[in-house]
Amino acid sequence: MPPRPAFHPGPNIAMKMPPGEQERLVLFYRDVIGLEVLAEEAHTTVFRFGAMRLWVDRVEALSQGETWLQIQAEDLPAAAEWLAYHGVQRRDSIERLPEGFEGFWIAAPGGMIHLVAGVPVPG
């Protein structure tokens, strides 16, 4: 068994929503709950959610909402090896990551999607 790498909660939670529900959820968090909007793009609104960022993304192909979480690993190759050893499925095709971004997608038990990302280097 490979040694367990260090995992930490990441700074992002993403809610992937079908088109009509995405707009309603944005209005709920902005107008009803009063969360601060950090950024808005055509298909994404980002809110301050305590120390985290909450992304509400419109995904055309969805019929119901999903919540995706980010975890961070200090050693991504070791994290990938550890997760594979434990039978965790990679889901790299689920959403393209930005060029140069260090990370990968997995499906946790029950199908919950997680982004496993490298820990940012200070500086």
Side-chain angles (χ1 to χ4, degrees), residues 12-123:
N12 297 295
I13 301 169
M15 300 181 87
K16 306 293 187 171
M17 304 297 294
E21 294 299 310
Q22 187 257 358
E23 290 89 2
R24 291 181 53 213
L25 190 58
V26 166
L27 293 173
F28 171 77
Y29 283 125
R30 187 187 67 208
D31 301 341
V32 177
I33 301 299
L35 295 183
E36 176 188 357
V37 174
L38 298 176
E40 288 184 281
E41 296 179 16
H43 299 286
T44 301
T45 302
V46 183
F47 296 96
R48 182 179 313 283
F49 198 76
M52 313 260 317
R53 289 180 300 266
L54 174 62
W55 298 69
V56 179
D57 301 331
R58 184 173 76 213
V59 179
E60 301 296 330
L62 288 181
S63 61
Q64 65 183 30
E66 298 180 1
T67 301
W68 296 7
L69 303 175
Q70 179 181 348
I71 56 176
Q72 294 179 298
E74 295 175 9
D75 183 337
L76 279 178
E81 180 183 7
W82 174 262
L83 293 166
Y85 178 83
H86 288 281
V88 176
Q89 296 179 359
R90 290 275 297 254
R91 295 292 175 100
D92 293 325
S93 65
I94 197 159
E95 184 176 284
R96 187 172 179 197
L97 294 171
E99 187 72 32
F101 185 88
E102 293 188 33
F104 54 90
W105 298 104
I106 62 168
M112 181 69 66
I113 301 299
H114 289 66
L115 171 62
V116 180
V119 175
V121 178

